[in-house]
Amino acid sequence: MPYPNERAGFFAVGDLERRQIIEAFGDQLEQGSNLPRDPLPAFEPFLQDDKPRPVVVALDGSSIYHRIPARLPATEAGLVSVSIVQINVDQLANLPQLPESGAIDPVQLRDTEDGSTLQLALPGRNARSVDGKVSRDWFRSSVQEVLETGHFGGETLAETLHALLRGTNNLRTIKCPNILCKSKPATPGPGQMRSRCEGCNSDIFLSDALRAQEIFSDEEPCGDAHGRIRHALEILCLMNLLRGLAKTEKGQAALGNIAFVLDGPLAAFGTIAVLQSGILRELRRIEKLLWPNHLLVMSAVKTGSFVQYFAELDEAPEPNSRIPLGTAFLPDDAYIRENIVPGATNQPWGKITYFGRPLIVKTHDGQRLFLNLVQPEADPPLTNASAPVVLNEAIAIAEHLGIGRNEFLPLRRAHAKAAIPLRIGKAIIESLARAK
Ligand SMILES: [Zn+2]
């Protein structure tokens, strides 16, 4: 970083050259093959007239993390919001488009939706509560509280979390949240929300199983810990909805008519990867209940290796021109490992984190959408399974609801509901600084 009034000089560049550092590094660097890769993988044509499911339920989360001003040591807080929007696809298709731009009138668009939102404020570093909780414990108990109280008409999010953690071993051991304690307590078992550490008698919460507290520290901003909770809440909200609907025959019938659409990879990364096997198990259980109908859960991914790869593949001779319109491609494990995400081990791609498989769709009107799609009828690794039974239905959703720059209309609506505008969110957090 330059100091004020100091211009970046060329000394460092001269030194790099004199020492031949770049030249030596270039000699070491393996030169891959240049794009575009040849031949294009097997993009299969699909029909334009498949009808999408009549209802789309879009789910999206957002979080803002910011400093509370005029506090020392640096004190921070965050807001997390998850929104679920139900969209009537038939009504959406029948909306008149504005004559000039072809866009749909946003007021009429809102009439096709029905939604609900889960919101919470979370302490960040150095934010202590008036009842004496240090920031990390306050963070833990805030998460626990939203799990115990949050629901969409059925079981609570805590009960959903229990259902996902239940498995070969009912109890999960974690690092005791008391940093000074060396014990490895188990998280509360079925039916229990809280327990105590045998070593130090600290409270152990069910939410501690998500282990976001392990990346929470007063030494640095805790946006990652907040993001981890946001992601866990998105997954728990989805599974809560699915489990709630799967309980009744009427709900099961509804599930056969709904496409669930999420934002980002269908995966649980980092400490919340503990949820993945439970998610796969629950999806399989619910899929069986729906027979002969099927569960359709998909997501649209906007960034990352896959998105970049297919953008580059689509580049020649002009941007967005190489992948034929109206085609889709389901990469298998061998293709992914060879071309997109080379693995350090021989493990199949996404084995311990993903609960959906990648799918790339080029719609007839030229949107290139990168999707993830669940496949509960197949055993993992999903990337080695044959085509999912809901493949054509997922493509029909993409074909009808892809908009603008490779974006998904349902997600834009869910995001519009969940997202707190950055400037306003910061102002809200700054308003927490009240004079004593
Ligand atoms: Zn302990």
Side-chain angles (χ1 to χ4, degrees):
M1 290 280 279
Y3 287 90
N5 303 324
E6 187 207 36
R7 286 171 55 194
F10 290 97
F11 296 111
V13 179
D15 283 351
L16 272 175
E17 203 169 308
R18 186 169 51 76
R19 296 185 179 130
Q20 299 187 324
I21 287 172
I22 295 303
E23 211 181 326
F25 184 78
D27 290 345
Q28 294 252 311
L29 179 70
E30 193 200 282
Q31 302 293 329
S33 58
N34 285 337
L35 291 165
R37 285 183 195 282
D38 224 26
L40 205 62
F43 277 85
E44 303 279 348
F46 62 85
L47 294 176
Q48 196 165 9
D49 44 11
D50 272 347
K51 258 182 84 77
R53 290 194 175 189
V55 178
V56 167
V57 170
L59 198 151
D60 191 21
S62 119
S63 54
I64 287 177
Y65 186 86
H66 192 56
R67 184 165 176 195
I68 302 171
R71 290 285 179 276
L72 284 175
T75 304
E76 296 159 350
L79 301 168
V80 175
S81 160
V82 178
S83 168
I84 296 169
V85 179
Q86 182 179 318
I87 301 167
N88 181 327
V89 176
D90 287 339
Q91 232 174 308
L92 192 65
N94 293 332
L95 285 182
Q97 296 184 345
L98 298 177
E100 301 260 306
S101 59
I104 293 167
D105 179 352
V107 178
Q108 294 196 22
L109 188 58
R110 277 197 291 276
D111 290 342
T112 65
E113 304 173 351
D114 189 4
S116 51
T117 312
L118 182 85
Q119 294 180 313
L120 72 154
L122 279 177
R125 67 164 158 176
N126 295 314
R128 289 161 177 266
S129 71
V130 282
D131 62 358
K133 284 193 202 87
V134 297
S135 56
R136 200 159 165 275
D137 287 340
W138 190 17
F139 168 75
R140 290 173 51 232
S141 62
S142 304
V143 174
Q144 174 70 10
E145 208 169 295
V146 77
L147 293 187
E148 285 183 17
T149 55
H151 67 89
F152 297 97
E155 66 179 15
T156 63
L157 295 174
E159 286 165 322
T160 306
L161 176 57
H162 253 316
L164 295 180
L165 294 176
R166 194 185 310 140
T168 41
N169 53 341
N170 277 339
L171 301 173
R172 307 222 162 225
T173 53
I174 52 162
K175 259 192 236 159
C176 179
N178 171 1
I179 296 169
L180 300 174
C181 172
K182 294 275 174 265
S183 295
K184 294 211 153 189
T187 53
Q192 277 182 293
M193 294 300 153
R194 293 155 192 251
S195 57
R196 286 190 176 276
C197 171
E198 286 171 10
C200 67
N201 210 32
S202 294
D203 280 324
I204 307 295
F205 301 139
L206 177 64
S207 59
D208 288 334
L210 301 171
R211 293 171 45 214
Q213 68 277 7
E214 290 177 19
I215 53 169
F216 186 107
S217 156
D218 283 333
E219 313 266 323
E220 56 191 358
C222 299
D224 285 351
H226 284 211
R228 188 80 45 98
I229 291 302
R230 184 198 74 212
H231 192 190
L233 286 174
E234 289 172 18
I235 292 173
L236 289 173
C237 287
L238 169 73
M239 297 311 292
N240 183 283
L241 281 178
L242 295 182
R243 280 170 56 80
L245 286 167
K247 266 196 186 112
T248 63
E249 259 176 49
K250 212 173 148 198
Q252 291 167 11
L255 280 174
N257 279 323
I258 302 175
F260 290 86
V261 179
L262 278 74
D263 191 18
L266 290 180
F269 298 116
T271 55
I272 64 168
V274 68
L275 299 175
Q276 186 242 20
S277 63
I279 297 168
L280 286 170
R281 191 186 57 234
E282 276 297 287
L283 293 174
R284 190 168 314 153
R285 179 184 70 83
I286 296 168
E287 168 77 8
K288 281 187 184 145
L289 291 174
L290 302 194
W291 197 90
N293 293 322
H294 299 284
L295 195 57
L296 175 49
V297 179
M298 59 198 283
S299 75
V301 185
K302 293 197 288 290
T303 57
S305 313
F306 283 87
V307 172
Q308 212 175 350
Y309 176 82
F310 287 106
E312 278 170 4
L313 205 65
D314 205 12
E315 274 293 291
E318 279 158 33
N320 308 321
S321 67
R322 191 157 169 247
I323 299 173
L325 298 182
T327 60
F329 172 51
L330 262 180
D332 63 11
D333 192 57
Y335 188 89
I336 294 169
R337 284 311 196 194
E338 191 169 327
N339 297 284
I340 309 170
V341 192
T345 64
N346 289 330
Q347 287 223 359
W349 171 85
K351 188 181 172 201
I352 55 167
T353 46
Y354 274 79
F355 51 94
R357 64 182 297 180
L359 165 68
I360 177 93
V361 176
K362 184 82 165 270
T363 64
H364 283 92
D365 61 359
Q367 318 293 332
R368 189 183 57 246
L369 295 165
F370 177 63
L371 310 170
N372 284 181
L373 179 59
V374 302
Q375 190 173 6
E377 78 277 12
D379 289 325
L382 301 179
T383 44
N384 283 344
S386 52
V389 286
V390 291
L391 179 64
N392 289 339
E393 288 192 278
I395 291 173
I397 292 283
E399 173 78 14
H400 285 82
L401 301 178
I403 48 154
R405 294 166 56 83
N406 307 325
E407 263 189 75
F408 231 17
L409 180 62
L411 286 176
R412 195 186 271 190
R413 301 309 302 166
H415 188 74
K417 267 213 169 106
I420 302 151
L422 189 63
R423 200 171 47 85
I424 298 172
K426 284 179 173 177
I428 293 171
I429 292 169
E430 285 174 3
S431 76
L432 292 168
R434 297 176 195 149
K436 272 192 185 160

